[in-house]
Amino acid sequence: MSTLQLTKDNFNETVEQNGFVLIDFWASWCGPCRQFAPVYEKAAEDNPDLVFGKVDTEAQAELAAAFEIRSIPTLMIIRDRTVVFSQPGALPAPALEDLIKQARGLDMDEIRREVQEQEQGSAE
């Protein structure tokens, strides 16, 4: 599966209907973004069970602002509608492969418990 262009119109639906979504926030003028693109495309080919999305920060400024994207490229991983990873910078292929492997191994029940505790703590 190739990458999916994410927009404000399909973003929520994509995240809600898929348990594991990787998102590359990028722009056409960004050199590191262009260098990272083939690495990201190859990872998408190597992991056809996952959804790989791309957000053009120029065309989708609202999405970039909603996720407080300050530097591009930024890679984000959302599992079960929870952001489990977000970091700026282009990754080399082995680091991206390792990151995907780690994200696959996350205990999402534990992550949800931690998020719930944090939300309760900030509400108090």
Side-chain angles (χ1 to χ4, degrees), residues 25-85:
F25 289 87
W26 69 284
S28 60
W29 52 263
C30 165
C33 297
R34 290 194 305 271
Q35 290 176 325
F36 181 59
V39 172
Y40 192 71
E41 292 288 338
K42 175 84 169 75
E45 291 172 16
D46 293 346
N47 295 277
D49 58 318
L50 305 181
V51 174
F52 285 73
K54 292 180 75 79
V55 174
D56 180 345
T57 57
E58 295 291 301
Q60 300 297 321
E62 290 176 45
L63 274 178
F67 286 97
E68 300 179 1
I69 302 302
R70 304 268 184 260
S71 178
I72 53 175
T74 289
L75 179 65
M76 182 176 289
I77 299 177
I78 300 177
R79 285 211 39 208
D80 300 341
R81 298 184 304 271
T82 302
V83 176
V84 296
F85 178 85

Side-chain angles (χ1 to χ4, degrees), residues 93-106:
L96 180 56
E97 290 169 23
D98 185 56
L99 178 62
I100 292 169
K101 182 179 175 184
Q102 289 181 46
R104 284 182 185 275
L106 289 174

Side-chain angles (χ1 to χ4, degrees), residues 11-30:
F11 187 91
N12 286 340
E13 180 182 346
T14 300
V15 169
E16 288 171 9
Q17 292 181 357
N18 297 282
F20 197 127
V21 182
L22 292 93
I23 304 164
D24 174 22
F25 289 87
W26 69 284
S28 60
W29 52 263
C30 165

